[in-house]
Structure formats: C-alpha cells, structure tokens
Amino acid sequence: MSRAQDSDSDDAMDEFMEKFRKEKYKGAFNVDNWEEEFEKVPMFMKTAPKEIDPKEHPDLACLQSIIHDDDRPPEEQAKALKDEGNEYFKEKNYKKAIVSYSEALKKKCTDTDLCAVLYTNRAAAHFHLGNMRSALNDSLAAKKLKPDHVKALIRGAQCCVKLGNFSEALQWCDEGLGVHAKDVTLQELRATADKLKRTAERDARKSKVKEKKERVEREALLGAIRERGIKLLKPDKPSKHCSDSEEEDVGSTRALAELDLNDLCSQEATGFKVHLDEQGVLHWPVLFLYPEHGQTDFISSFNENDRFIDHLTVMFGEELPPWDTEKKYQPRNLELYFDDERGQLLQLENEMSLLRVLQNDRCLVKEGTPSFIVLVRDSAFCKSFLSGKKVHRLK
Amino acid sequence: MLSDREAKELLNFLTLETRPDVKGQATEYILGLTGTKDGCRYLRGKPDFLKALLTLTSDSSVAIVKDCYHALINLSADETLHRALVQDANILPVLFSNLLDPTYMFADRICTILTNLTRHEKTCKDVFKVFQEEHIGLAKIVEILCTEDYNKKASLHYLGPLLSNLTQLPDARQFILDKERCVVQRLLPYTQYEASTVKRGGVIGTLRNCCFDHAYHEWMLSDAVDILPFLLLPLAGPEELTEEENEGLPVDLQYLPEDKKREEDPDIRKMLIETLLLLTATKAGRQILKSKNVYPIMREFHKWEKEPSVISACEKLVQVLIGDEPEPGMENLMEVEIPEDVEVKLQDLDVKEQEQIEKEQEELIRAATEENSAREES
C-alpha cells in the first residue's frame, strides 16, 4: 500500500503507530454480538451459509471462487471440490456433499486414487441419506478403479447388507479379506452378513412349513364340509349350490376351490370359524336370533353332533335371560326356524343334531355361521311373525 | 534292471529336444517301471530320471505330459520315494507354480501328487516347509479351494484331501485357526459340497484335525466361527421335530424341508461324528452341544443309520450328550490320566468292539449277497 521509500517508511511507521495511541480501536467485537460476528468469519464458521452472498460473506465468496476457478488444472479443482464435499459431509449436509463430489468427478481427472476416494466418499454420503442403490453403485465404481480400496469394499458390503443381499455382501467381504486379511471391520461385517443370511434362510423355511400346514388344514376342513354335503352361501352372490360344482371331478381341487375359505368368514367378525377337531368332528359357530326382543345368542363352538335341545336346555335351563320379561322362553316351548333366504322358513325338530339340519338340501350356511330364529310356540309374536310366510317342516 | 549304459542312453532320450516318437517310447517305458514296486525302487536311486520326468511335464505333447504325471503319481504313492522326489529331484517348486496357474490343464494331477506326498508326517513337513519358502501361504490354497472355477480346466477337488493332510501338522492347523484372519470360516460351507465327495471329505477331515486342539474349541463353537451347524447339517434328516426342539436348534437346522438328504458316504458321516465327539472333550464344549439340541438330531440319525461302525460312533456321542457330567478333575477328557490297568482293559474292550463291528459288517455283506443271489435265481 504505502509507496514510501526507506527513509519515509520510518516516518510512516511512526505515524501509523501513533494511531494506536490516539485513536480508539473501532470495529472490535461487541460483547453482545461477538458470536454472530464470529460466525461471519469463514475461518470460524460453524455452519456454512446456504447461499453465499458476496456482500454478506465476502471472504467465503472469495474462497468459493478460488475453488470454482476454472483456470486451475483439473486435479487441483477436483481436490478442492473434494475438500468442500468433505466439509459438508462433516456437517452432515450430505446432499451438498454429493453435489461437490459429483462436480469433482466431472472434472475427469486422471488421478485414479483421487477418483476412487471421491466415489467412496459420495457412496458414504448416499449411504447416510439411505440411498443404498446409489451408494452401492458408487462403491462399485470406486472398487473398479482401485480394487484394494478398503473403505470402498467395506461400504459396498454394508450397502448389500442394508439391501438384504447377504450373499453379495459376503462376496464383497471375501474380496476385501483377500487383500486385507486382518481387517477387523471386514471380518465382523462378514460374520454379520453370514448370520443375517442364515437367519433369512431359516425364516423362509419356517414360513414354508407354516404355509403348508395351513394349506393342509384348510383342505381337510373344506373336504369335511363338502363330504357332508353342506352348502355354503357365497357372500354378495346369488346363492350357489354345491351341486353345481359336483358336476366337475369329484375330489378335484378346482371343485374345492369353489368352496372358498372366504365363504366361511363372518362379516360380524366374531373371530370364530368352523373347525375340524382331531376326531374329525366339525364345530360350528352358531347364532341364535330372538326377533321378538331383538336379541341374539352366539355359541362359538357347536359340535355338529349336538342336538339343539341340548344347547337350549343349557341356555334356558336354570336362569332365563333378563330380556325374557314374560319368562316364556322355556326350552320345551321353543321352536327353531331357519331362513333359507329364498322366502321359506324351515322349522327344525329340536331333537335334531346340527349336522342333520345342515345336511338338509334346503339349508345354506351364510358367512360360515349357521343362524337360527327362536320363537315361543303359540305366542302372539310367533303367530304374527309366521303369518304370510311359507313354512316348511324339516324331516 | 537296466545296465548303467542302458540307463544313460535312456536318460538321453528323456529330453525336450528328443524326437517325439523316441521321447514317447522312453516315457512310456519309465511309466511302466513306476507301475511295479521294483521299478519304483530302482528309480529311487536315479534322481536324474526323476528330474527328467519333471522337465518333460512342460513338453508340447499332451500324451507325453500325461504319462509323466502318471509316473510321478505312481512314484509319489510309494513313501520310500519321497525323499528322492522332494529333496533330490526338487520337484516341489515347479509343481507349486503350475498348481497356482489358473490356466494349467494338469493341475488336478499335481493335487494328487501333493496329496500322496503329504499323507505321512515326515514328507508332509517337508512339503509345508517348501510352501513357506516359496511364499505360498495356506491362505492361497484355501482361497483357491473356495473359488469356484478358479481353474476352468481342472476341478482341483483334491485340494480338499491335501489340506486335510497338511493339517496333521500343528503349524498348518495354527494357520487355519488364526483368530485374526477369516480362514476356517470360509471352509465351513463345504461340509455340504455336493459336487465332490473328495473335496467334501477333505474339508471335513481338515475340520476334524483342527478339533484336536481343544484350546480352540470355545472359539470354534462361538459365533465367530460357529462350526456346529456345519457339522450337524449333513447328519440331519427330513424328520419333523417338535416346535420346542426346533426352536432350540441352531438357525441353520430349524425347519428343514421334507426332501433333506443326509450325507451319503459312511466314512464321511463317521468323520463328522468323530469331530463332534472331539468337541465334547471340554466341559464348555459339552454344555454348548447339549444346549443347542444336538441330541434330537443324533437321536433321529441313530434310527436312520445302518453302518455298524457309524452307529457305534453315534452311540458314543449320544452317551456323552445325555450322560452325567464327569467328576471334578475329569472334566477335560483329553487331559485325564488313565491308570495303566484301566488303560489295558479299555484297549481290550476296543478290540472286542472292533471285532463285533467287523462281524456285523460281514453279516450285512453276507445278507446282501444272499439277497442278490436269491434275486438272480428267481
């Protein structure tokens, strides 16, 4: 700045020094805002500003322009970009880091070591963002350039593990251990990948066994129902008799497929389904409806060989239900009806077993839960309920 | 045999530069010699012939090279020839470098020669020493063994038995069991290698030898190596175990499919059981094997096995698994001091047991032959 020659410089120097004694120092950091001020100095910045406004941060803008100065050789530019990326990485600003590394790679410099590092670092940034595929591709690129680059080998294996490709992860580890036999990270990674692989294989086997067991049980159940000639009503479709499917091969799985397990699902979602016990006996969930009082009773497991009277005796035996205000629902007074959904009511004999009733041609099981209407014989409600309806007695 | 003059003449024909037809006849003659014990012994004193054979393995005629290797294989099968081959003719360095060459067509024959040479401890030590002098670690052998299609023209299955032979030496075992590297772990999947009984048997033999060093047992049974599932899988069958038994098993043995097959070779089955028995030598080992439900696997195996000697080994193992713990001072069965008179009695029992096994085997063979002849007659 000063163009003073030697003799003058002493004077200038004295003058300069005088300033310190006379003038008060301006522009010092203020006690209140020194941290803010600090943040503005590139050297002390804790976080990089999102946009570098040359007016606000002239120094940082200056640095950036140095980094992005296109006049310098590509190696230098790439290195500077790498450093920039690393800074962003340290701050966990992975997206920005990736941009820097990508810019560096675009410079196409011939230094394979540098490029391998760039790919590896970018892979790490992708990894932390959860972009496993990109991270793996970058690791692969790094490995191609430098097959013994330990960080790339480790990162590649880690990506494979996250992607669930355990066999591939093992290959990466073995490749790595081929060059760096004693690397502990690779060994541990290999052990982890191996364990995960074997656990996944076990899980696959286990679910296969479970699937098979369920399929066998399902087929046995549907077979038992079909054997007995019991008809299931398909939901949302007009009632379809099993006799249609009997025209196909007896025992063919296609015929069984007509009897879908969905036909057994109750929309009321009682959670109970018909099941076949170890002695080959079917147990049904059964619903008793009391239209007189708007009540229902649900039997979760009605043995097909049980007679209705047996259940009624238990249900209405000792204590009558609270809604039976007239105390008229005595077992011996009860009549049971089945609505065949085609305008007919079928009256059962209470001494019949559930199986006998279900096997009747006119009976259809709706939504897997046989339901029966319970009326009190000769009661006013019963008479009015049955008037105008076609009633048919089951034999 | 040959007179000195005849021998000298023959030797002159055994060079690369000799006319092909003469060369061929000469090597054929040598091969013929190696087919007899006397012939081999004769060649023992003639290292120049052995060197010539080695040189001729780089001949351009495949037929001649084949004959040379065939001769070397025959020679290496005779232990008295080992010194001549290894020390006097110094065949190892050339063999090694060809072995490691992924394009070398005759690598399998080299494997066989090396397997022969390493069968007995003395030459095995020499071979191992040369391995180290040539800076070929066992790591390389393991790596090649574990690399499918390392050599497209040779299967290299005999690297299995080679490794097994080498591990009779403590130094070789130490390398395989190096805790700072990942060596033994890479061998484990090969206990189920279906493509080659030779390789599979070799790997299992290696593992069995490694289990002689009981100081390594805990490490080998730990997650760092996890040898147990790989020993049990070939012995486990498709039989369904209870849910409880399944959940207690190592992960690899749970829920095995219906088409699971057991190891077909009885000798290999026996080796696997022997390895398991070795692992029961320490208290820690016994506890681990008991806690990982080895017993149900062996229980089902026992029902399936037909070979008397294998059944016997299985019963020994089961005894340890379900028996009580030994008294204090006897926990490490390998270190227990057996009093002399007991030792004699035990040896007697062993002999009697062996006789019983042989008797049962004979009966099996007789029954099978009778069945066969009955079938032929009808």
Side-chain angles (χ1 to χ4, degrees), chain A residues 291-334:
Chain A
E292 181 174 3
H293 294 275
Q295 294 286 336
T296 60
D297 266 329
F298 178 73
I299 315 279
S300 56
S301 178
F302 194 125
N303 185 318
E304 63 181 349
N305 297 319
D306 287 348
R307 304 178 308 161
F308 284 92
I309 187 64
D310 299 327
H311 281 266
L312 292 174
T313 313
V314 169
M315 286 153 68
F316 297 93
E318 287 189 19
E319 262 186 48
L320 294 177
W323 45 258
D324 180 16
T325 42
E326 291 166 53
K327 299 259 175 271
K328 60 182 197 261
Y329 279 72
Q330 314 275 351
R332 59 178 183 279
N333 295 340
L334 298 175

Short mmCIF file of all heavy atoms in Angstrom, two decimals, chain A residues 291-334:
data_model
loop_
_atom_site.label_atom_id
_atom_site.label_comp_id
_atom_site.label_asym_id
_atom_site.label_seq_id
_atom_site.Cartn_x
_atom_site.Cartn_y
_atom_site.Cartn_z
N PRO A 291 -85.98 -62.53 17.37
CA PRO A 291 -86.53 -61.32 16.78
C PRO A 291 -87.57 -60.61 17.67
O PRO A 291 -87.72 -59.41 17.61
CB PRO A 291 -87.18 -61.82 15.48
CG PRO A 291 -87.31 -63.28 15.61
CD PRO A 291 -86.25 -63.73 16.55
N GLU A 292 -88.22 -61.38 18.54
CA GLU A 292 -89.21 -60.76 19.41
C GLU A 292 -88.59 -59.67 20.28
O GLU A 292 -89.18 -58.64 20.53
CB GLU A 292 -89.85 -61.84 20.29
CG GLU A 292 -90.93 -61.25 21.22
CD GLU A 292 -91.68 -62.32 21.99
OE1 GLU A 292 -91.31 -63.53 21.84
OE2 GLU A 292 -92.59 -61.98 22.74
N HIS A 293 -87.37 -59.97 20.76
CA HIS A 293 -86.75 -58.99 21.66
C HIS A 293 -85.52 -58.35 21.03
O HIS A 293 -84.82 -57.61 21.70
CB HIS A 293 -86.35 -59.69 22.95
CG HIS A 293 -87.53 -60.18 23.74
ND1 HIS A 293 -88.21 -59.37 24.60
CD2 HIS A 293 -88.15 -61.39 23.75
CE1 HIS A 293 -89.22 -60.07 25.14
NE2 HIS A 293 -89.21 -61.30 24.64
N GLY A 294 -85.27 -58.64 19.78
CA GLY A 294 -84.10 -58.05 19.12
C GLY A 294 -82.79 -58.50 19.74
O GLY A 294 -81.81 -57.77 19.77
N GLN A 295 -82.78 -59.73 20.27
CA GLN A 295 -81.58 -60.22 20.94
C GLN A 295 -80.94 -61.35 20.14
O GLN A 295 -81.56 -61.93 19.25
CB GLN A 295 -81.96 -60.78 22.33
CG GLN A 295 -82.47 -59.72 23.30
CD GLN A 295 -81.33 -58.84 23.80
OE1 GLN A 295 -80.17 -59.26 23.79
NE2 GLN A 295 -81.66 -57.62 24.20
N THR A 296 -79.68 -61.62 20.46
CA THR A 296 -79.02 -62.77 19.84
C THR A 296 -78.20 -63.51 20.90
O THR A 296 -77.80 -62.93 21.91
CB THR A 296 -78.03 -62.36 18.73
OG1 THR A 296 -77.02 -61.53 19.32
CG2 THR A 296 -78.70 -61.63 17.60
N ASP A 297 -77.94 -64.79 20.62
CA ASP A 297 -77.01 -65.56 21.43
C ASP A 297 -76.00 -66.19 20.48
O ASP A 297 -76.38 -66.67 19.39
CB ASP A 297 -77.74 -66.70 22.18
CG ASP A 297 -78.15 -66.29 23.59
OD1 ASP A 297 -77.41 -65.46 24.19
OD2 ASP A 297 -79.17 -66.80 24.06
N PHE A 298 -74.75 -66.18 20.88
CA PHE A 298 -73.72 -66.72 19.99
C PHE A 298 -73.04 -67.91 20.65
O PHE A 298 -72.52 -67.80 21.76
CB PHE A 298 -72.69 -65.62 19.68
CG PHE A 298 -71.57 -66.08 18.81
CD1 PHE A 298 -71.79 -66.32 17.46
CD2 PHE A 298 -70.30 -66.30 19.33
CE1 PHE A 298 -70.76 -66.75 16.64
CE2 PHE A 298 -69.26 -66.73 18.50
CZ PHE A 298 -69.49 -66.97 17.16
N ILE A 299 -73.08 -69.06 20.01
CA ILE A 299 -72.36 -70.24 20.50
C ILE A 299 -71.08 -70.35 19.67
O ILE A 299 -71.14 -70.54 18.46
CB ILE A 299 -73.17 -71.54 20.28
CG1 ILE A 299 -74.61 -71.36 20.68
CG2 ILE A 299 -72.49 -72.71 20.96
CD1 ILE A 299 -74.88 -71.48 22.14
N SER A 300 -69.91 -70.21 20.29
CA SER A 300 -68.68 -70.15 19.49
C SER A 300 -68.31 -71.51 18.90
O SER A 300 -67.71 -71.57 17.84
CB SER A 300 -67.53 -69.61 20.33
OG SER A 300 -67.37 -70.41 21.48
N SER A 301 -68.66 -72.59 19.59
CA SER A 301 -68.23 -73.89 19.09
C SER A 301 -69.32 -74.94 19.33
O SER A 301 -69.37 -75.56 20.38
CB SER A 301 -66.93 -74.29 19.80
OG SER A 301 -66.51 -75.55 19.39
N PHE A 302 -70.20 -75.09 18.34
CA PHE A 302 -71.34 -76.00 18.44
C PHE A 302 -70.96 -77.30 17.74
O PHE A 302 -70.80 -77.32 16.52
CB PHE A 302 -72.53 -75.33 17.74
CG PHE A 302 -73.88 -75.94 17.99
CD1 PHE A 302 -74.91 -75.14 18.46
CD2 PHE A 302 -74.12 -77.28 17.72
CE1 PHE A 302 -76.18 -75.69 18.66
CE2 PHE A 302 -75.38 -77.83 17.93
CZ PHE A 302 -76.42 -77.02 18.40
N ASN A 303 -70.76 -78.35 18.51
CA ASN A 303 -70.40 -79.66 17.95
C ASN A 303 -71.52 -80.13 17.02
O ASN A 303 -72.69 -80.13 17.38
CB ASN A 303 -70.21 -80.64 19.12
CG ASN A 303 -69.71 -82.00 18.65
OD1 ASN A 303 -70.18 -82.54 17.65
ND2 ASN A 303 -68.78 -82.56 19.41
N GLU A 304 -71.16 -80.54 15.82
CA GLU A 304 -72.18 -80.87 14.81
C GLU A 304 -73.08 -82.02 15.26
O GLU A 304 -74.20 -82.18 14.74
CB GLU A 304 -71.51 -81.23 13.49
CG GLU A 304 -70.61 -82.47 13.56
CD GLU A 304 -69.94 -82.80 12.23
OE1 GLU A 304 -70.31 -82.21 11.21
OE2 GLU A 304 -69.03 -83.66 12.24
N ASN A 305 -72.57 -82.83 16.19
CA ASN A 305 -73.38 -83.96 16.64
C ASN A 305 -74.31 -83.60 17.80
O ASN A 305 -75.14 -84.40 18.21
CB ASN A 305 -72.48 -85.13 17.05
CG ASN A 305 -71.67 -85.64 15.86
OD1 ASN A 305 -72.21 -85.75 14.76
ND2 ASN A 305 -70.40 -85.94 16.09
N ASP A 306 -74.12 -82.39 18.31
CA ASP A 306 -75.01 -81.98 19.41
C ASP A 306 -76.41 -81.74 18.87
O ASP A 306 -76.59 -81.29 17.73
CB ASP A 306 -74.51 -80.67 20.04
CG ASP A 306 -73.28 -80.87 20.88
OD1 ASP A 306 -72.93 -82.05 21.16
OD2 ASP A 306 -72.64 -79.86 21.25
N ARG A 307 -77.37 -82.00 19.74
CA ARG A 307 -78.75 -81.68 19.36
C ARG A 307 -79.07 -80.29 19.86
O ARG A 307 -78.53 -79.83 20.85
CB ARG A 307 -79.72 -82.68 20.00
CG ARG A 307 -79.41 -84.13 19.66
CD ARG A 307 -80.37 -85.07 20.36
NE ARG A 307 -80.42 -84.79 21.81
CZ ARG A 307 -81.41 -85.18 22.59
NH1 ARG A 307 -82.44 -85.86 22.09
NH2 ARG A 307 -81.40 -84.91 23.88
N PHE A 308 -80.00 -79.65 19.14
CA PHE A 308 -80.36 -78.28 19.51
C PHE A 308 -80.95 -78.23 20.91
O PHE A 308 -80.65 -77.32 21.69
CB PHE A 308 -81.39 -77.71 18.50
CG PHE A 308 -80.75 -77.32 17.21
CD1 PHE A 308 -80.69 -78.22 16.15
CD2 PHE A 308 -80.19 -76.07 17.05
CE1 PHE A 308 -80.09 -77.86 14.95
CE2 PHE A 308 -79.58 -75.71 15.86
CZ PHE A 308 -79.53 -76.61 14.81
N ILE A 309 -81.76 -79.26 21.23
CA ILE A 309 -82.41 -79.26 22.53
C ILE A 309 -81.39 -79.24 23.66
O ILE A 309 -81.59 -78.62 24.69
CB ILE A 309 -83.38 -80.46 22.66
CG1 ILE A 309 -84.20 -80.34 23.95
CG2 ILE A 309 -82.66 -81.77 22.59
CD1 ILE A 309 -85.11 -79.15 24.00
N ASP A 310 -80.24 -79.91 23.43
CA ASP A 310 -79.20 -79.93 24.46
C ASP A 310 -78.70 -78.53 24.77
O ASP A 310 -78.56 -78.15 25.92
CB ASP A 310 -78.02 -80.80 24.01
CG ASP A 310 -78.44 -82.24 23.76
OD1 ASP A 310 -79.34 -82.71 24.48
OD2 ASP A 310 -77.86 -82.88 22.86
N HIS A 311 -78.47 -77.77 23.71
CA HIS A 311 -77.98 -76.42 23.93
C HIS A 311 -79.05 -75.54 24.55
O HIS A 311 -78.78 -74.74 25.44
CB HIS A 311 -77.48 -75.81 22.62
CG HIS A 311 -76.12 -76.31 22.24
ND1 HIS A 311 -74.97 -75.62 22.57
CD2 HIS A 311 -75.72 -77.42 21.61
CE1 HIS A 311 -73.91 -76.29 22.11
NE2 HIS A 311 -74.34 -77.40 21.53
N LEU A 312 -80.29 -75.69 24.04
CA LEU A 312 -81.38 -74.86 24.54
C LEU A 312 -81.59 -75.12 26.03
O LEU A 312 -81.84 -74.19 26.81
CB LEU A 312 -82.67 -75.15 23.78
CG LEU A 312 -82.68 -74.71 22.31
CD1 LEU A 312 -83.96 -75.19 21.63
CD2 LEU A 312 -82.56 -73.20 22.21
N THR A 313 -81.45 -76.39 26.41
CA THR A 313 -81.63 -76.73 27.82
C THR A 313 -80.61 -76.01 28.69
O THR A 313 -80.92 -75.53 29.77
CB THR A 313 -81.48 -78.24 28.04
OG1 THR A 313 -82.24 -78.92 27.05
CG2 THR A 313 -81.96 -78.64 29.42
N VAL A 314 -79.40 -75.94 28.20
CA VAL A 314 -78.36 -75.25 28.96
C VAL A 314 -78.59 -73.75 28.96
O VAL A 314 -78.51 -73.09 30.00
CB VAL A 314 -76.97 -75.57 28.35
CG1 VAL A 314 -75.90 -74.66 28.94
CG2 VAL A 314 -76.62 -77.02 28.56
N MET A 315 -78.95 -73.21 27.77
CA MET A 315 -79.07 -71.76 27.68
C MET A 315 -80.28 -71.23 28.44
O MET A 315 -80.22 -70.15 29.02
CB MET A 315 -79.21 -71.36 26.19
CG MET A 315 -77.92 -71.48 25.43
SD MET A 315 -78.21 -71.79 23.68
CE MET A 315 -78.94 -70.25 23.18
N PHE A 316 -81.37 -72.01 28.41
CA PHE A 316 -82.58 -71.53 29.05
C PHE A 316 -82.97 -72.41 30.22
O PHE A 316 -84.11 -72.43 30.66
CB PHE A 316 -83.73 -71.50 28.03
CG PHE A 316 -83.49 -70.54 26.90
CD1 PHE A 316 -82.91 -70.98 25.71
CD2 PHE A 316 -83.79 -69.20 27.04
CE1 PHE A 316 -82.67 -70.08 24.68
CE2 PHE A 316 -83.55 -68.29 26.01
CZ PHE A 316 -82.99 -68.73 24.83
N GLY A 317 -82.03 -73.15 30.71
CA GLY A 317 -82.31 -74.13 31.76
C GLY A 317 -82.52 -73.50 33.11
O GLY A 317 -83.64 -73.33 33.59
N GLU A 318 -81.44 -73.11 33.72
CA GLU A 318 -81.53 -72.65 35.11
C GLU A 318 -82.10 -71.25 35.19
O GLU A 318 -83.07 -71.00 35.89
CB GLU A 318 -80.17 -72.71 35.75
CG GLU A 318 -79.75 -74.14 36.02
CD GLU A 318 -78.49 -74.19 36.86
OE1 GLU A 318 -78.16 -73.17 37.51
OE2 GLU A 318 -77.82 -75.23 36.86
N GLU A 319 -81.48 -70.37 34.45
CA GLU A 319 -81.92 -68.98 34.53
C GLU A 319 -82.38 -68.52 33.16
O GLU A 319 -81.70 -68.75 32.18
CB GLU A 319 -80.75 -68.10 34.95
CG GLU A 319 -80.72 -67.77 36.44
CD GLU A 319 -79.60 -66.78 36.72
OE1 GLU A 319 -79.51 -65.76 35.98
OE2 GLU A 319 -78.80 -67.03 37.63
N LEU A 320 -83.50 -67.85 33.13
CA LEU A 320 -83.93 -67.29 31.85
C LEU A 320 -83.24 -65.96 31.65
O LEU A 320 -82.92 -65.27 32.61
CB LEU A 320 -85.46 -67.10 31.86
CG LEU A 320 -86.24 -68.42 31.92
CD1 LEU A 320 -87.72 -68.16 31.99
CD2 LEU A 320 -85.91 -69.28 30.71
N PRO A 321 -83.02 -65.58 30.38
CA PRO A 321 -82.30 -64.33 30.13
C PRO A 321 -83.09 -63.12 30.62
O PRO A 321 -84.33 -63.17 30.66
CB PRO A 321 -82.16 -64.32 28.61
CG PRO A 321 -83.16 -65.28 28.10
CD PRO A 321 -83.36 -66.29 29.16
N PRO A 322 -82.41 -62.08 30.95
CA PRO A 322 -83.05 -60.89 31.52
C PRO A 322 -84.06 -60.25 30.57
O PRO A 322 -85.05 -59.67 31.01
CB PRO A 322 -81.89 -59.93 31.82
CG PRO A 322 -80.73 -60.45 31.05
CD PRO A 322 -80.94 -61.90 30.88
N TRP A 323 -83.82 -60.38 29.26
CA TRP A 323 -84.75 -59.73 28.32
C TRP A 323 -86.07 -60.51 28.19
O TRP A 323 -87.04 -60.02 27.63
CB TRP A 323 -84.10 -59.52 26.96
CG TRP A 323 -83.32 -60.71 26.41
CD1 TRP A 323 -81.98 -60.87 26.42
CD2 TRP A 323 -83.85 -61.88 25.79
NE1 TRP A 323 -81.62 -62.05 25.86
CE2 TRP A 323 -82.76 -62.71 25.45
CE3 TRP A 323 -85.16 -62.32 25.48
CZ2 TRP A 323 -82.91 -63.93 24.82
CZ3 TRP A 323 -85.30 -63.54 24.84
CH2 TRP A 323 -84.18 -64.36 24.53
N ASP A 324 -86.07 -61.74 28.73
CA ASP A 324 -87.30 -62.52 28.66
C ASP A 324 -88.23 -62.09 29.79
O ASP A 324 -88.41 -62.78 30.80
CB ASP A 324 -86.96 -64.01 28.76
CG ASP A 324 -88.21 -64.89 28.69
OD1 ASP A 324 -89.28 -64.40 28.27
OD2 ASP A 324 -88.09 -66.08 29.06
N THR A 325 -88.82 -60.93 29.62
CA THR A 325 -89.61 -60.32 30.70
C THR A 325 -90.82 -61.17 31.06
O THR A 325 -91.24 -61.20 32.21
CB THR A 325 -90.08 -58.91 30.29
OG1 THR A 325 -90.51 -58.98 28.92
CG2 THR A 325 -88.93 -57.92 30.38
N GLU A 326 -91.37 -61.85 30.03
CA GLU A 326 -92.57 -62.65 30.34
C GLU A 326 -92.23 -64.06 30.78
O GLU A 326 -93.10 -64.87 30.98
CB GLU A 326 -93.48 -62.71 29.10
CG GLU A 326 -94.12 -61.35 28.77
CD GLU A 326 -94.71 -61.37 27.37
OE1 GLU A 326 -95.50 -62.29 27.07
OE2 GLU A 326 -94.33 -60.50 26.58
N LYS A 327 -90.95 -64.32 30.88
CA LYS A 327 -90.47 -65.62 31.33
C LYS A 327 -91.09 -66.77 30.54
O LYS A 327 -91.51 -67.78 31.10
CB LYS A 327 -90.79 -65.81 32.83
CG LYS A 327 -90.14 -64.78 33.72
CD LYS A 327 -88.89 -65.34 34.41
CE LYS A 327 -88.17 -64.25 35.21
NZ LYS A 327 -87.20 -63.56 34.38
N LYS A 328 -91.17 -66.57 29.22
CA LYS A 328 -91.83 -67.63 28.47
C LYS A 328 -90.88 -68.46 27.61
O LYS A 328 -91.27 -69.42 26.97
CB LYS A 328 -92.95 -67.04 27.60
CG LYS A 328 -92.51 -66.01 26.57
CD LYS A 328 -93.74 -65.49 25.82
CE LYS A 328 -93.37 -64.80 24.56
NZ LYS A 328 -93.35 -63.33 24.68
N TYR A 329 -89.57 -68.08 27.63
CA TYR A 329 -88.64 -68.81 26.79
C TYR A 329 -88.13 -70.07 27.50
O TYR A 329 -86.95 -70.21 27.81
CB TYR A 329 -87.47 -67.89 26.38
CG TYR A 329 -87.79 -66.98 25.23
CD1 TYR A 329 -88.66 -65.89 25.40
CD2 TYR A 329 -87.28 -67.22 23.97
CE1 TYR A 329 -88.96 -65.08 24.33
CE2 TYR A 329 -87.58 -66.40 22.89
CZ TYR A 329 -88.44 -65.33 23.08
OH TYR A 329 -88.76 -64.53 22.01
N GLN A 330 -89.05 -70.99 27.74
CA GLN A 330 -88.65 -72.26 28.33
C GLN A 330 -88.24 -73.18 27.20
O GLN A 330 -88.84 -73.17 26.13
CB GLN A 330 -89.84 -72.91 29.06
CG GLN A 330 -90.62 -71.96 29.95
CD GLN A 330 -89.97 -71.87 31.29
OE1 GLN A 330 -89.05 -72.63 31.60
NE2 GLN A 330 -90.45 -70.94 32.11
N PRO A 331 -87.25 -74.05 27.43
CA PRO A 331 -86.77 -74.92 26.36
C PRO A 331 -87.90 -75.70 25.67
O PRO A 331 -87.91 -75.82 24.46
CB PRO A 331 -85.79 -75.86 27.07
CG PRO A 331 -85.31 -75.10 28.23
CD PRO A 331 -86.43 -74.19 28.65
N ARG A 332 -88.82 -76.20 26.45
CA ARG A 332 -89.84 -77.04 25.83
C ARG A 332 -90.84 -76.23 24.98
O ARG A 332 -91.58 -76.77 24.19
CB ARG A 332 -90.61 -77.82 26.89
CG ARG A 332 -91.30 -76.92 27.91
CD ARG A 332 -92.08 -77.72 28.91
NE ARG A 332 -92.78 -76.81 29.82
CZ ARG A 332 -92.20 -76.23 30.86
NH1 ARG A 332 -90.94 -76.48 31.13
NH2 ARG A 332 -92.88 -75.38 31.60
N ASN A 333 -90.83 -74.90 25.19
CA ASN A 333 -91.74 -74.06 24.40
C ASN A 333 -91.13 -73.51 23.14
O ASN A 333 -91.78 -72.79 22.38
CB ASN A 333 -92.20 -72.85 25.24
CG ASN A 333 -93.02 -73.30 26.43
OD1 ASN A 333 -93.54 -74.41 26.45
ND2 ASN A 333 -93.12 -72.44 27.43
N LEU A 334 -89.84 -73.75 22.97
CA LEU A 334 -89.15 -73.04 21.89
C LEU A 334 -89.25 -73.77 20.56
O LEU A 334 -89.20 -74.99 20.51
CB LEU A 334 -87.68 -72.84 22.26
CG LEU A 334 -87.47 -71.99 23.51
CD1 LEU A 334 -86.00 -71.94 23.87
CD2 LEU A 334 -88.01 -70.58 23.29
#
